Amino acid sequence: MLNREIDHIKFRQKRRNENQGRLLVSCPDKPGIVSVLSTFLYQQGANIIESSQYTSDPENGMFFIRIEFVCEDLVTKSARLEKDFEEIAKIHGMGFRLAYGSERKRSAIYVSRETHCLMELLWEWQSGDLDTDIVVVISNHEEARPMVEALGIPFHYIPANKDIRQQVEAEQIQLMEKYDVDLLILARYMQILTPNFVSRFANRIINIHHSFLPAFIGAGPYERAYDRGVKLIGATSHYVTNDLDEGPIIEQDVVRVDHRDHVADLKKIGSQVERSVLVKAVKWHLEDRIIVQDNKTIVFH
Amino acid sequence: MLNREIDHIKFRQKRRNENQGRLLVSCPDKPGIVSVLSTFLYQQGANIIESSQYTSDPENGMFFIRIEFVCEDLVTKSARLEKDFEEIAKIHGMGFRLAYGSERKRSAIYVSRETHCLMELLWEWQSGDLDTDIVVVISNHEEARPMVEALGIPFHYIPANKDIRQQVEAEQIQLMEKYDVDLLILARYMQILTPNFVSRFANRIINIHHSFLPAFIGAGPYERAYDRGVKLIGATSHYVTNDLDEGPIIEQDVVRVDHRDHVADLKKIGSQVERSVLVKAVKWHLEDRIIVQDNKTIVFH
Amino acid sequence: MLNREIDHIKFRQKRRNENQGRLLVSCPDKPGIVSVLSTFLYQQGANIIESSQYTSDPENGMFFIRIEFVCEDLVTKSARLEKDFEEIAKIHGMGFRLAYGSERKRSAIYVSRETHCLMELLWEWQSGDLDTDIVVVISNHEEARPMVEALGIPFHYIPANKDIRQQVEAEQIQLMEKYDVDLLILARYMQILTPNFVSRFANRIINIHHSFLPAFIGAGPYERAYDRGVKLIGATSHYVTNDLDEGPIIEQDVVRVDHRDHVADLKKIGSQVERSVLVKAVKWHLEDRIIVQDNKTIVFH
Amino acid sequence: MLNREIDHIKFRQKRRNENQGRLLVSCPDKPGIVSVLSTFLYQQGANIIESSQYTSDPENGMFFIRIEFVCEDLVTKSARLEKDFEEIAKIHGMGFRLAYGSERKRSAIYVSRETHCLMELLWEWQSGDLDTDIVVVISNHEEARPMVEALGIPFHYIPANKDIRQQVEAEQIQLMEKYDVDLLILARYMQILTPNFVSRFANRIINIHHSFLPAFIGAGPYERAYDRGVKLIGATSHYVTNDLDEGPIIEQDVVRVDHRDHVADLKKIGSQVERSVLVKAVKWHLEDRIIVQDNKTIVFH
């Protein structure tokens, strides 16, 4: 947490491979696609180091693939590579996305009073395990300021409630633009976002919901879990859409509880699951492992 | 599955301890209850070998305890023991239940077309791990008949659908009485029971629901889990009440699935969880480890 | 377990895809390999439906890939496909294996007195979930005969102990040849095999060891786990080599125990893990998901 | 991590119950013990709120019990309570231990270069979830100093290697006495302690070993796990005895790895398990949930 440490972190995070790239493709399935893609990459001088694919249905299904490759001088070659691949994509009706090791994603975190999810993200980031620049933290409370600023990250306090939502979001959007944010992480932010806001960040807002969705959608999931007498409680990370807690699920996990656990215990126990489930989703997003299709996720991990 | 084996099983199941007893007590919490109970048992010549307790709230809560004890000649002493304890219960406002190792519970199983839960129960019973007499299996299909009759258990085929529910249940109740059933296990029976039927077996009907309740209450849980894109599927065993899938939960568990798993895969994968979650609930019931309180269960395991 | 059921099983097991093939390749890593393989398959009219790869080291490492494909008329084309691929393999220094959906592997099971692992295998096979013909079961005890013969599988009783090992193995090898066995499953066989025997079935004998290897190598693992007071017990499935319990590990799992569990409890609890760990290894082998390299396994699952 | 937060923590940690006590008893099993203990506590005005017991063997075994109780004015009554109980213990041949909510245990942590276990302990402590005073941290490296001193905990740097062990331990023992340490936590300290040192803190030194003991006893467990190709790696917390890594195991857990994980990955993945396994052991010790018997632990949780 001292300067010495921060330097150390920056050093480690720099070692990532500038020659590494990722290609994500989705298209109607047909024979020969892997051949087309792998031959293209070979001709560009790239070596495939990881590849995962999925066909939704053997008959007339969709084909999805994520390829990780290394390529000498990728930084200088990338514009040309992208242009060349567009041709191929056009011919075969492919949707695609190319991501480069040299271009680290920029993340913003929204948080409310509960800081355990924020702390987990900062810890992982500090350990060099979160491949992103955390460029800003925004909160409607002051609780998180000290730990955020201690790490040299800008912290903005924007009070929020449902009566001033428009105005709050206008201010937030301005900050999103100023900090050029790629990914927005809701680390227990607890405020609903408007369709206007959500539409600007389609499949780029990750939320953590403190229940095993679709059980206990909405407010007070631990209270309701307690009332129902469930034997497991869970957490769900998902992309945010306009339907509350109905977006594509990225990851879920549960933990065992029993009759001795009151609501406060459920919250304490559940906070551990929330932390790990959110961090996993964020990591997979940063590593371009997630494809959203029909309100579901394909996760190549 | 041959006679030789069945004999072997009967032999092993007979070795259970006739001197073993269980005392379950619930009452308003106050100092001295453990002293009263343990002193009573000591004076009766019993030795406590296991004891679990729970106080719902340190201030004015309810107290629950399950005591397992051994006592010489318990079979002959039990009537007296029970009568003596009634006095104590009256003084301290206790609800109680005494169960004896010499009195094995008698179980009926209802099953439909899917037999995996039935098979698991029969396997466990055959291995001597289910401390019960399975006295009858009833089904609205013929699929299960061979495996049930091969083990020497009576099998009754009673076609069922919602139009003839009254008549079907009348027939079933007659069989329940004939076979003197203590516990009814719904091993994927898939038919709704009427309040009249349920009220006759309060807290004595255990059902397995093929989802992590309260997610996917009602029909088609695997189809709906697939549509929602969940990353874990689960199963829930619970006591049956008049509210569908709303009874006190006894046990739940989940298993990981991913985007590659279609509905048929979810059913296959889920069937493993259904099996283990149902068997656990049945075992705990047979060992008198469950107390139902306010539509929740206290499970001493 | 009746004839009617067995027919049903045979019917379901026949539905597997005769046009499905698997190609496993290992070679020194270099750019362009995926392109070569996928282009070859495309030219043969095959469609890749699943593909997993692994590079041991980005610098001068080994490359491993498993490709699952479908191809019209694969049964008639396979000889030619294999011959053509040999050319390619020669050029690129590839080791390879081609497996066909039309050629089901033939399995033998060796068992001793404990039959829980055998029963699990038979259950899975009976449910159509084990893609193999179980052609023979051999045992040094008679316990398993009834359940094996009830399913129409030949059962051979060959008494065994270390003094007559040579003679026993000679008899076993004769049966292995007679039944044309591809895979030998040691389902708690408890007898050591000689190097002569093992060498005939390199990477084709799967054993289940009842501990989390390398803890408790050799005899009496549950007794030793009890003495050491471990809090988890486990099971390990591995290919058999000449070093006892030192062969390449395929799968491991553990389950929680505590101070209340005596040796008999550990055996009972552990038997569940043994069953699932053995079945997983057998399934992965049958689906050609395992590559052995340097006494370790690469498992593509 | 700022002053404001530290105050907040202290406030929360003070709320623990001064009227709460724990009684741990072990003695030869016989009827009436629970009656004796519960009647004694009742007569002292105590109310039992939690009780767990274990009998090693129904015939001539040992009896162990842990009772948690509340008692008005326990702080002033405790001396008398202890004296009175000694009488009873003498009569029944009981070993016993009484612990009081008003007397928080004092912990020291030894750490080396790897600080993840230390950080987890500090995090838990900071959240009010570790019921102890962390009175000193000692290390043979300087890495941990900033994070320790930021929390206001004294940090002592004592370089250590096997040639100066005597002298190092002399210095450490002096500090242990100065800080009046009840519990010593080795949070990846990586130095062997001499029998002289260990004997001063029998069953009061908790170590975390980075393997699933008894697999990979000694140095380099992750390297050896990698070489063996295990599919799970684990961690073990145990009391330290004079036999390296052979002390009574308190807790173990494992996590899945696969062929893609190199030694550095195993260390990263394993560090999560080390953290949780160490914290659990420390919590259980602080809550007096552990009884050591015959180089094993009975853990009442």
Side-chain angles (χ1 to χ4, degrees):
Chain A
M1 318 249 168
L2 299 190
N3 287 346
R4 209 165 43 107
E5 288 187 68
I6 295 173
D7 291 342
H8 179 55
I9 294 158
K10 282 189 181 146
F11 173 70
R12 280 167 62 195
Q13 291 180 340
K14 252 186 214 146
R15 287 182 324 179
R16 57 207 305 273
N17 196 337
E18 302 223 322
N19 287 330
Q20 199 166 324
R22 292 161 195 156
L23 173 60
L24 282 89
V25 171
S26 56
C27 62
D29 189 33
K30 64 174 181 184
I33 303 172
V34 180
S35 171
V36 165
L37 298 175
S38 56
T39 304
F40 169 81
L41 287 170
Y42 176 52
Q43 284 163 351
Q44 304 277 341
N47 189 22
I48 296 175
I49 55 170
E50 196 183 315
S51 173
S52 308
Q53 63 177 71
Y54 167 63
T55 308
S56 66
D57 197 305
E59 314 279 331
N60 301 314
M62 284 291 288
F63 173 84
F64 306 89
I65 194 165
R66 176 191 184 273
I67 296 174
E68 205 159 319
F69 58 89
V70 285
C71 182
E72 283 292 303
D73 296 321
L74 185 57
V75 177
T76 54
K77 281 182 186 170
S78 65
R80 178 61 186 268
L81 185 95
E82 200 130 1
K83 201 155 158 279
D84 287 357
F85 191 72
E86 260 166 35
E87 302 283 309
I88 285 175
K90 213 173 292 171
I91 295 166
H92 297 278
M94 293 169 174
F96 78 99
R97 194 163 83 226
L98 269 157
Y100 304 100
S102 54
E103 293 173 11
R104 191 197 296 276
K105 289 186 182 64
R106 299 168 64 80
S107 299
I109 304 175
Y110 286 15
V111 68
S112 190
R113 257 203 191 95
E114 304 272 6
T115 58
H116 55 277
C117 285
L118 171 67
M119 280 179 75
E120 184 77 9
L121 289 165
L122 296 178
W123 178 325
E124 288 285 323
W125 175 77
Q126 219 188 4
S127 312
D129 293 329
L130 222 54
D131 187 18
T132 188
D133 292 322
I134 299 181
V135 292
V136 63
V137 173
I138 295 174
S139 180
N140 54 339
H141 291 280
E142 287 282 14
E143 269 82 353
R145 184 187 291 275
M147 73 181 80
V148 171
E149 293 187 343
L151 290 163
I153 301 169
F155 177 89
H156 290 266
Y157 167 58
I158 307 179
N161 63 61
K162 63 178 196 298
D163 300 328
I164 53 167
R165 197 163 282 158
Q166 301 289 338
Q167 172 194 332
V168 167
E169 288 194 351
E171 210 174 325
Q172 288 173 339
I173 286 167
Q174 227 171 1
L175 286 169
M176 294 297 96
E177 281 163 5
K178 177 184 162 193
Y179 287 103
D180 192 14
V181 169
D182 296 306
L183 170 67
L184 171 52
I185 306 164
L186 305 183
R188 298 290 308 268
Y189 177 53
M190 314 303 283
Q191 296 286 320
I192 291 169
L193 302 172
T194 69
N196 172 45
F197 189 100
V198 170
S199 66
R200 286 166 183 263
F201 297 94
N203 296 336
R204 293 193 293 140
I205 310 176
I206 294 177
N207 183 45
I208 179 75
H209 184 75
H210 40 316
S211 86
F212 179 78
L213 289 175
F216 310 123
I217 288 179
Y222 289 128
E223 284 79 0
R224 287 147 68 203
Y226 175 76
D227 288 342
R228 182 63 187 94
V230 295
K231 299 299 184 184
L232 299 168
I233 55 168
T236 304
S237 52
H238 63 94
Y239 286 115
V240 173
T241 60
N242 289 325
D243 298 310
L244 182 66
D245 300 334
E246 296 280 7
I249 293 170
I250 304 170
E251 174 65 346
Q252 305 188 284
D253 208 350
V254 295
V255 64
R256 196 159 285 281
V257 295
D258 67 31
H259 59 269
R260 294 170 298 184
D261 298 310
H262 289 252
V263 173
D265 304 308
L266 300 189
K267 286 182 181 176
K268 170 71 73 182
I269 296 166
S271 72
Q272 302 281 341
V273 192
E274 294 170 31
R275 284 159 53 177
S276 75
V277 164
L278 177 59
V279 163
K280 276 186 191 164
V282 168
K283 278 189 183 166
W284 294 336
H285 179 95
L286 293 172
E287 295 171 3
D288 301 292
R289 297 191 174 278
I290 313 177
I291 295 174
V292 174
Q293 181 78 356
D294 299 336
N295 206 45
K296 297 187 194 184
T297 60
I298 296 158
V299 183
F300 292 123
H301 51 101
Chain B
M1 315 245 171
L2 299 191
N3 287 346
R4 207 164 44 107
E5 288 186 68
I6 295 173
D7 291 343
H8 179 56
I9 294 157
K10 283 191 180 143
F11 173 70
R12 279 166 62 194
Q13 290 179 340
K14 250 184 217 150
R15 286 181 325 179
R16 58 208 305 274
N17 197 336
E18 304 223 323
N19 287 331
Q20 199 166 325
R22 292 162 195 154
L23 172 61
L24 282 89
V25 171
S26 56
C27 63
D29 189 34
K30 64 174 181 182
I33 303 172
V34 179
S35 170
V36 166
L37 297 174
S38 57
T39 304
F40 169 80
L41 287 170
Y42 176 53
Q43 284 163 350
Q44 302 279 340
N47 189 21
I48 296 175
I49 55 171
E50 197 183 316
S51 173
S52 309
Q53 63 177 71
Y54 167 64
T55 308
S56 66
D57 197 304
E59 314 279 332
N60 301 314
M62 285 290 288
F63 174 84
F64 306 89
I65 194 164
R66 176 191 184 273
I67 295 173
E68 205 159 319
F69 58 90
V70 286
C71 183
E72 282 294 302
D73 296 320
L74 184 57
V75 176
T76 55
K77 282 182 186 171
S78 64
R80 178 62 186 268
L81 186 94
E82 201 130 1
K83 199 151 159 283
D84 287 357
F85 191 72
E86 260 165 35
E87 303 283 308
I88 285 174
K90 212 172 293 171
I91 296 166
H92 297 278
M94 294 170 173
F96 79 99
R97 194 162 84 226
L98 269 158
Y100 304 99
S102 54
E103 293 173 12
R104 191 199 296 277
K105 290 187 182 65
R106 299 169 63 82
S107 299
I109 304 174
Y110 286 15
V111 69
S112 190
R113 259 204 189 94
E114 304 271 8
T115 58
H116 56 275
C117 285
L118 172 67
M119 281 179 75
E120 185 77 10
L121 288 165
L122 296 178
W123 180 325
E124 289 285 323
W125 174 77
Q126 217 188 4
S127 312
D129 292 329
L130 222 54
D131 187 18
T132 188
D133 292 320
I134 299 180
V135 292
V136 63
V137 174
I138 295 176
S139 180
N140 54 340
H141 294 279
E142 286 282 13
E143 269 81 354
R145 185 187 290 275
M147 74 182 79
V148 171
E149 293 187 343
L151 289 165
I153 301 168
F155 177 88
H156 290 267
Y157 167 59
I158 307 179
N161 62 60
K162 61 180 195 298
D163 299 329
I164 53 169
R165 196 162 282 159
Q166 302 289 337
Q167 171 195 332
V168 166
E169 287 195 351
E171 209 173 327
Q172 289 172 341
I173 287 167
Q174 227 171 3
L175 286 169
M176 294 298 95
E177 281 165 4
K178 177 184 161 194
Y179 287 105
D180 192 15
V181 170
D182 297 307
L183 171 67
L184 171 52
I185 306 164
L186 305 183
R188 297 290 308 268
Y189 177 54
M190 314 303 283
Q191 297 286 321
I192 291 168
L193 302 172
T194 69
N196 172 44
F197 189 100
V198 170
S199 66
R200 286 167 183 262
F201 297 94
N203 296 336
R204 292 194 293 140
I205 311 176
I206 294 177
N207 183 45
I208 180 75
H209 184 75
H210 39 318
S211 86
F212 179 78
L213 288 175
F216 311 124
I217 288 178
Y222 289 127
E223 284 79 0
R224 287 149 66 205
Y226 175 75
D227 289 342
R228 182 62 188 93
V230 294
K231 300 298 185 184
L232 299 168
I233 55 169
T236 304
S237 52
H238 62 95
Y239 286 115
V240 174
T241 61
N242 289 325
D243 298 311
L244 181 67
D245 301 336
E246 295 280 6
I249 292 170
I250 304 169
E251 173 66 344
Q252 307 187 282
D253 209 350
V254 294
V255 64
R256 196 158 284 280
V257 294
D258 67 32
H259 59 271
R260 294 170 298 185
D261 298 309
H262 289 251
V263 173
D265 303 308
L266 300 189
K267 286 182 181 176
K268 170 72 73 181
I269 295 165
S271 72
Q272 301 281 341
V273 192
E274 294 169 30
R275 286 158 53 176
S276 75
V277 164
L278 177 59
V279 164
K280 276 186 193 164
V282 169
K283 277 189 184 167
W284 294 336
H285 180 96
L286 293 172
E287 294 171 4
D288 301 293
R289 297 190 175 278
I290 313 176
I291 294 174
V292 174
Q293 180 79 355
D294 298 336
N295 206 45
K296 298 188 195 184
T297 61
I298 295 159
V299 184
F300 292 123
H301 51 101
Chain C
M1 317 245 169
L2 299 190
N3 286 346
R4 208 164 45 105
E5 289 187 69
I6 294 172
D7 290 342
H8 180 57
I9 295 156
K10 280 188 181 147
F11 173 71
R12 279 168 61 194
Q13 290 180 341
K14 249 184 217 149
R15 287 182 323 178
R16 58 207 305 272
N17 197 335
E18 302 224 323
N19 287 331
Q20 199 167 324
R22 292 162 195 154
L23 171 60
L24 283 90
V25 171
S26 56
C27 62
D29 189 33
K30 65 174 180 184
I33 303 173
V34 180
S35 171
V36 166
L37 297 174
S38 56
T39 304
F40 169 81
L41 287 170
Y42 176 53
Q43 284 163 352
Q44 303 277 340
N47 190 21
I48 297 175
I49 54 171
E50 197 184 316
S51 173
S52 308
Q53 64 177 71
Y54 168 63
T55 308
S56 66
D57 197 305
E59 316 277 333
N60 302 314
M62 284 292 287
F63 174 84
F64 306 89
I65 195 165
R66 176 190 183 272
I67 296 174
E68 204 159 319
F69 58 89
V70 286
C71 183
E72 282 293 301
D73 296 322
L74 185 57
V75 177
T76 54
K77 280 182 185 170
S78 66
R80 178 61 187 269
L81 186 95
E82 200 131 1
K83 200 153 158 280
D84 287 358
F85 191 73
E86 260 167 33
E87 302 284 309
I88 284 174
K90 212 173 291 169
I91 295 165
H92 297 279
M94 293 170 174
F96 79 100
R97 193 162 85 225
L98 268 158
Y100 303 100
S102 54
E103 293 173 11
R104 192 198 295 276
K105 289 186 182 66
R106 300 168 63 81
S107 299
I109 303 174
Y110 286 16
V111 68
S112 189
R113 258 204 190 96
E114 304 271 7
T115 58
H116 56 276
C117 285
L118 172 66
M119 281 179 75
E120 185 76 10
L121 289 165
L122 296 178
W123 180 324
E124 289 285 323
W125 175 78
Q126 217 188 5
S127 314
D129 293 329
L130 223 54
D131 187 17
T132 188
D133 292 322
I134 299 181
V135 293
V136 63
V137 174
I138 295 175
S139 180
N140 53 339
H141 293 279
E142 286 282 12
E143 270 81 353
R145 184 186 291 275
M147 72 181 81
V148 171
E149 293 187 342
L151 289 164
I153 301 168
F155 177 89
H156 291 266
Y157 167 58
I158 308 178
N161 63 59
K162 61 179 199 294
D163 299 330
I164 54 169
R165 196 162 282 159
Q166 301 289 338
Q167 171 195 332
V168 167
E169 288 194 352
E171 208 173 326
Q172 288 172 339
I173 287 167
Q174 227 171 1
L175 286 169
M176 294 297 96
E177 281 164 4
K178 177 184 161 194
Y179 287 103
D180 192 15
V181 169
D182 296 307
L183 171 66
L184 170 52
I185 307 164
L186 305 183
R188 298 289 310 266
Y189 177 54
M190 314 303 284
Q191 296 285 321
I192 291 168
L193 302 172
T194 69
N196 172 44
F197 189 99
V198 171
S199 67
R200 285 167 184 262
F201 297 93
N203 297 337
R204 292 193 293 139
I205 310 176
I206 295 177
N207 183 45
I208 179 75
H209 184 75
H210 40 317
S211 86
F212 179 79
L213 288 175
F216 310 124
I217 288 178
Y222 288 126
E223 285 79 359
R224 286 148 67 206
Y226 176 75
D227 289 343
R228 182 62 187 92
V230 293
K231 299 298 184 183
L232 299 167
I233 56 168
T236 305
S237 53
H238 63 94
Y239 286 115
V240 174
T241 60
N242 289 326
D243 298 310
L244 182 66
D245 300 335
E246 295 279 7
I249 292 170
I250 303 170
E251 174 65 346
Q252 306 188 282
D253 209 350
V254 294
V255 63
R256 195 158 286 281
V257 295
D258 67 31
H259 59 271
R260 294 170 298 185
D261 298 309
H262 289 252
V263 173
D265 304 307
L266 299 189
K267 286 181 180 175
K268 170 71 74 179
I269 295 166
S271 72
Q272 302 282 341
V273 192
E274 294 170 29
R275 285 159 53 176
S276 75
V277 164
L278 178 58
V279 164
K280 276 186 192 165
V282 168
K283 277 189 183 167
W284 293 337
H285 180 96
L286 293 173
E287 295 171 4
D288 301 292
R289 296 190 175 279
I290 313 175
I291 295 174
V292 174
Q293 181 78 357
D294 298 338
N295 206 46
K296 296 188 195 184
T297 61
I298 295 159
V299 184
F300 292 123
H301 52 99
Chain D
M1 317 241 167
L2 300 190
N3 286 346
R4 208 164 43 106
E5 290 187 68
I6 294 173
D7 290 343
H8 180 57
I9 294 158
K10 281 189 179 147
F11 173 70
R12 281 167 62 194
Q13 290 180 341
K14 252 183 213 148
R15 288 182 323 179
R16 58 205 306 270
N17 197 334
E18 303 223 322
N19 287 330
Q20 199 167 323
R22 294 162 193 154
L23 172 61
L24 283 89
V25 171
S26 57
C27 62
D29 189 34
K30 64 173 181 184
I33 303 172
V34 180
S35 171
V36 165
L37 297 174
S38 55
T39 304
F40 170 81
L41 286 170
Y42 177 53
Q43 285 163 350
Q44 304 277 340
N47 189 21
I48 297 176
I49 55 171
E50 196 184 315
S51 172
S52 309
Q53 64 177 72
Y54 167 64
T55 309
S56 66
D57 197 305
E59 315 278 332
N60 300 315
M62 285 290 288
F63 173 84
F64 305 90
I65 195 165
R66 175 191 184 274
I67 296 173
E68 205 159 320
F69 58 90
V70 285
C71 183
E72 282 293 302
D73 296 320
L74 185 57
V75 176
T76 54
K77 281 183 185 170
S78 64
R80 179 62 187 270
L81 185 94
E82 200 131 359
K83 200 154 158 279
D84 286 357
F85 191 73
E86 260 166 36
E87 303 283 308
I88 285 175
K90 212 174 292 171
I91 295 166
H92 297 279
M94 294 169 174
F96 78 100
R97 194 162 84 225
L98 269 158
Y100 304 99
S102 54
E103 293 174 11
R104 190 197 296 278
K105 290 186 182 67
R106 300 168 63 82
S107 298
I109 304 174
Y110 286 15
V111 67
S112 189
R113 259 205 190 93
E114 304 271 7
T115 58
H116 56 276
C117 285
L118 172 66
M119 280 178 76
E120 185 76 10
L121 289 166
L122 295 178
W123 179 324
E124 289 285 322
W125 174 77
Q126 217 188 5
S127 311
D129 293 329
L130 222 54
D131 187 18
T132 188
D133 292 321
I134 300 181
V135 292
V136 63
V137 173
I138 296 175
S139 180
N140 54 339
H141 293 278
E142 286 282 13
E143 269 82 352
R145 183 186 292 274
M147 72 181 80
V148 171
E149 293 186 342
L151 290 164
I153 301 168
F155 177 89
H156 291 266
Y157 167 57
I158 307 179
N161 63 59
K162 61 180 199 294
D163 299 329
I164 54 167
R165 195 161 282 160
Q166 301 290 338
Q167 172 194 334
V168 167
E169 288 194 351
E171 210 173 326
Q172 289 172 339
I173 287 167
Q174 225 171 2
L175 286 169
M176 295 296 96
E177 281 165 3
K178 176 185 162 192
Y179 287 103
D180 192 15
V181 169
D182 296 306
L183 170 66
L184 171 52
I185 307 164
L186 305 183
R188 300 290 309 269
Y189 177 54
M190 315 303 283
Q191 297 285 321
I192 291 169
L193 302 172
T194 68
N196 171 45
F197 189 99
V198 170
S199 67
R200 285 166 182 262
F201 297 94
N203 296 336
R204 292 193 293 140
I205 310 176
I206 294 178
N207 184 45
I208 179 73
H209 184 76
H210 39 317
S211 86
F212 179 78
L213 289 174
F216 310 124
I217 288 178
Y222 289 127
E223 285 78 0
R224 287 148 66 205
Y226 176 75
D227 289 342
R228 182 61 187 93
V230 293
K231 299 298 184 183
L232 299 168
I233 55 168
T236 304
S237 53
H238 63 95
Y239 286 114
V240 174
T241 61
N242 288 326
D243 298 310
L244 181 66
D245 300 334
E246 296 279 7
I249 293 171
I250 303 169
E251 174 65 345
Q252 305 188 284
D253 208 350
V254 294
V255 64
R256 195 158 286 280
V257 295
D258 67 31
H259 58 270
R260 293 170 299 185
D261 298 310
H262 289 252
V263 173
D265 304 307
L266 300 189
K267 286 182 180 176
K268 171 72 73 177
I269 296 166
S271 71
Q272 302 282 340
V273 192
E274 293 169 30
R275 285 159 52 177
S276 74
V277 164
L278 176 59
V279 164
K280 277 187 192 164
V282 168
K283 277 189 184 167
W284 294 336
H285 180 95
L286 293 173
E287 295 171 3
D288 301 292
R289 297 191 174 278
I290 313 176
I291 295 174
V292 174
Q293 182 78 357
D294 298 336
N295 206 47
K296 296 188 196 185
T297 61
I298 296 159
V299 183
F300 292 122
H301 51 99

